[in-house]
mmCIF file of all heavy atoms in Angstrom:
data_model
loop_
_atom_site.group_PDB
_atom_site.id
_atom_site.type_symbol
_atom_site.label_atom_id
_atom_site.label_comp_id
_atom_site.label_asym_id
_atom_site.label_seq_id
_atom_site.Cartn_x
_atom_site.Cartn_y
_atom_site.Cartn_z
ATOM 1 N N VAL A 29 23.738 152.216 125.168
ATOM 2 C CA VAL A 29 22.339 151.862 125.019
ATOM 3 C C VAL A 29 21.516 153.145 124.946
ATOM 4 O O VAL A 29 21.753 154.083 125.708
ATOM 5 C CB VAL A 29 21.857 151.002 126.200
ATOM 6 C CG1 VAL A 29 20.422 150.537 125.976
ATOM 7 C CG2 VAL A 29 22.784 149.811 126.403
ATOM 8 N N GLN A 30 20.545 153.170 124.043
ATOM 9 C CA GLN A 30 19.605 154.282 123.981
ATOM 10 C C GLN A 30 18.459 154.014 124.959
ATOM 11 O O GLN A 30 17.822 152.958 124.889
ATOM 12 C CB GLN A 30 19.064 154.464 122.573
ATOM 13 C CG GLN A 30 20.145 154.672 121.521
ATOM 14 C CD GLN A 30 20.940 155.930 121.771
ATOM 15 O OE1 GLN A 30 20.369 157.000 122.025
ATOM 16 N NE2 GLN A 30 22.258 155.814 121.696
ATOM 17 N N LEU A 31 18.182 154.969 125.869
ATOM 18 C CA LEU A 31 17.221 154.777 126.943
ATOM 19 C C LEU A 31 16.171 155.880 126.938
ATOM 20 O O LEU A 31 16.502 157.051 126.747
ATOM 21 C CB LEU A 31 17.926 154.782 128.304
ATOM 22 C CG LEU A 31 19.052 153.759 128.493
ATOM 23 C CD1 LEU A 31 19.787 154.023 129.803
ATOM 24 C CD2 LEU A 31 18.485 152.345 128.482
ATOM 25 N N VAL A 32 14.906 155.509 127.198
ATOM 26 C CA VAL A 32 13.805 156.459 127.274
ATOM 27 C C VAL A 32 12.958 156.134 128.492
ATOM 28 O O VAL A 32 12.432 155.029 128.604
ATOM 29 C CB VAL A 32 12.927 156.430 126.014
ATOM 30 C CG1 VAL A 32 11.777 157.422 126.148
ATOM 31 C CG2 VAL A 32 13.752 156.760 124.777
ATOM 32 N N GLU A 33 12.809 157.113 129.413
ATOM 33 C CA GLU A 33 11.996 156.936 130.613
ATOM 34 C C GLU A 33 10.575 157.440 130.374
ATOM 35 O O GLU A 33 10.374 158.463 129.720
ATOM 36 C CB GLU A 33 12.590 157.702 131.804
ATOM 37 C CG GLU A 33 14.028 157.354 132.139
ATOM 38 C CD GLU A 33 15.011 158.334 131.542
ATOM 39 O OE1 GLU A 33 14.670 158.985 130.522
ATOM 40 O OE2 GLU A 33 16.123 158.462 132.089
ATOM 41 N N THR A 34 9.597 156.741 130.964
ATOM 42 C CA THR A 34 8.208 157.172 130.949
ATOM 43 C C THR A 34 7.585 156.896 132.310
ATOM 44 O O THR A 34 8.107 156.110 133.093
ATOM 45 C CB THR A 34 7.381 156.459 129.871
ATOM 46 O OG1 THR A 34 7.407 155.043 130.092
ATOM 47 C CG2 THR A 34 7.930 156.755 128.482
ATOM 48 N N GLY A 35 6.453 157.536 132.592
ATOM 49 C CA GLY A 35 5.704 157.268 133.807
ATOM 50 C C GLY A 35 5.762 158.345 134.865
ATOM 51 O O GLY A 35 5.122 158.212 135.912
ATOM 52 N N GLY A 36 6.507 159.410 134.636
ATOM 53 C CA GLY A 36 6.582 160.485 135.600
ATOM 54 C C GLY A 36 5.312 161.309 135.636
ATOM 55 O O GLY A 36 4.437 161.183 134.785
ATOM 56 N N GLY A 37 5.215 162.167 136.661
ATOM 57 C CA GLY A 37 4.053 163.025 136.788
ATOM 58 C C GLY A 37 3.881 163.550 138.193
ATOM 59 O O GLY A 37 4.802 163.516 139.003
ATOM 60 N N LEU A 38 2.679 164.039 138.484
ATOM 61 C CA LEU A 38 2.326 164.611 139.774
ATOM 62 C C LEU A 38 1.522 163.607 140.583
ATOM 63 O O LEU A 38 0.577 162.998 140.070
ATOM 64 C CB LEU A 38 1.516 165.892 139.572
ATOM 65 C CG LEU A 38 0.968 166.579 140.817
ATOM 66 C CD1 LEU A 38 2.110 167.095 141.685
ATOM 67 C CD2 LEU A 38 0.034 167.711 140.415
ATOM 68 N N VAL A 39 1.891 163.437 141.853
ATOM 69 C CA VAL A 39 1.195 162.512 142.732
ATOM 70 C C VAL A 39 1.170 163.101 144.139
ATOM 71 O O VAL A 39 2.073 163.843 144.532
ATOM 72 C CB VAL A 39 1.877 161.125 142.723
ATOM 73 C CG1 VAL A 39 3.284 161.205 143.305
ATOM 74 C CG2 VAL A 39 1.040 160.094 143.452
ATOM 75 N N GLN A 40 0.128 162.781 144.901
ATOM 76 C CA GLN A 40 0.041 163.230 146.285
ATOM 77 C C GLN A 40 0.905 162.367 147.192
ATOM 78 O O GLN A 40 1.179 161.202 146.898
ATOM 79 C CB GLN A 40 -1.410 163.196 146.773
ATOM 80 C CG GLN A 40 -2.318 164.216 146.109
ATOM 81 C CD GLN A 40 -3.705 164.240 146.717
ATOM 82 O OE1 GLN A 40 -4.174 163.254 147.270
ATOM 83 N NE2 GLN A 40 -4.359 165.381 146.618
ATOM 84 N N ALA A 41 1.347 162.945 148.300
ATOM 85 C CA ALA A 41 2.120 162.202 149.284
ATOM 86 C C ALA A 41 1.373 160.939 149.703
ATOM 87 O O ALA A 41 0.163 160.967 149.937
ATOM 88 C CB ALA A 41 2.416 163.069 150.494
ATOM 89 N N GLY A 42 2.111 159.833 149.790
ATOM 90 C CA GLY A 42 1.526 158.549 150.122
ATOM 91 C C GLY A 42 1.094 157.742 148.919
ATOM 92 O O GLY A 42 0.783 156.552 149.058
ATOM 93 N N GLY A 43 1.091 158.349 147.751
ATOM 94 C CA GLY A 43 0.682 157.674 146.540
ATOM 95 C C GLY A 43 1.791 156.871 145.907
ATOM 96 O O GLY A 43 2.898 156.765 146.438
ATOM 97 N N SER A 44 1.494 156.312 144.729
ATOM 98 C CA SER A 44 2.424 155.433 144.029
ATOM 99 C C SER A 44 2.552 155.820 142.567
ATOM 100 O O SER A 44 1.621 156.367 141.965
ATOM 101 C CB SER A 44 1.960 153.973 144.110
ATOM 102 O OG SER A 44 1.903 153.516 145.445
ATOM 103 N N LEU A 45 3.709 155.526 141.996
ATOM 104 C CA LEU A 45 3.961 155.675 140.577
ATOM 105 C C LEU A 45 4.839 154.525 140.116
ATOM 106 O O LEU A 45 5.615 153.973 140.898
ATOM 107 C CB LEU A 45 4.661 156.993 140.255
ATOM 108 C CG LEU A 45 3.847 158.279 140.311
ATOM 109 C CD1 LEU A 45 4.775 159.481 140.130
ATOM 110 C CD2 LEU A 45 2.770 158.283 139.238
ATOM 111 N N ARG A 46 4.737 154.189 138.833
ATOM 112 C CA ARG A 46 5.589 153.178 138.233
ATOM 113 C C ARG A 46 6.301 153.781 137.032
ATOM 114 O O ARG A 46 5.646 154.213 136.081
ATOM 115 C CB ARG A 46 4.785 151.961 137.796
ATOM 116 C CG ARG A 46 5.641 150.787 137.327
ATOM 117 C CD ARG A 46 4.795 149.766 136.597
ATOM 118 N NE ARG A 46 5.500 148.524 136.352
ATOM 119 C CZ ARG A 46 5.175 147.654 135.406
ATOM 120 N NH1 ARG A 46 4.130 147.893 134.620
ATOM 121 N NH2 ARG A 46 5.872 146.542 135.258
ATOM 122 N N LEU A 47 7.620 153.802 137.080
ATOM 123 C CA LEU A 47 8.423 154.288 135.974
ATOM 124 C C LEU A 47 8.867 153.128 135.094
ATOM 125 O O LEU A 47 9.135 152.028 135.581
ATOM 126 C CB LEU A 47 9.663 155.023 136.483
ATOM 127 C CG LEU A 47 9.427 156.212 137.414
ATOM 128 C CD1 LEU A 47 10.765 156.863 137.759
ATOM 129 C CD2 LEU A 47 8.488 157.225 136.789
ATOM 130 N N SER A 48 8.956 153.385 133.800
ATOM 131 C CA SER A 48 9.478 152.416 132.855
ATOM 132 C C SER A 48 10.645 153.028 132.104
ATOM 133 O O SER A 48 10.651 154.226 131.825
ATOM 134 C CB SER A 48 8.403 151.984 131.854
ATOM 135 O OG SER A 48 7.335 151.331 132.497
ATOM 136 N N CYS A 49 11.619 152.209 131.769
ATOM 137 C CA CYS A 49 12.767 152.623 130.979
ATOM 138 C C CYS A 49 12.919 151.639 129.836
ATOM 139 O O CYS A 49 13.236 150.467 130.065
ATOM 140 C CB CYS A 49 14.027 152.661 131.840
ATOM 141 S SG CYS A 49 15.547 153.005 130.936
ATOM 142 N N SER A 50 12.686 152.110 128.627
ATOM 143 C CA SER A 50 12.787 151.270 127.443
ATOM 144 C C SER A 50 14.154 151.453 126.803
ATOM 145 O O SER A 50 14.612 152.577 126.612
ATOM 146 C CB SER A 50 11.694 151.625 126.436
ATOM 147 O OG SER A 50 10.413 151.403 126.987
ATOM 148 N N ALA A 51 14.792 150.339 126.466
ATOM 149 C CA ALA A 51 16.147 150.350 125.934
ATOM 150 C C ALA A 51 16.189 149.817 124.513
ATOM 151 O O ALA A 51 15.443 148.892 124.155
ATOM 152 C CB ALA A 51 17.076 149.521 126.811
#
Side-chain angles (χ1 to χ4, degrees):
V29 185
Q30 303 298 313
L31 303 172
V32 179
E33 304 97 335
T34 59
L38 176 65
V39 65
Q40 292 186 334
S44 299
L45 286 173
R46 188 194 191 202
L47 303 183
S48 297
C49 174
S50 298

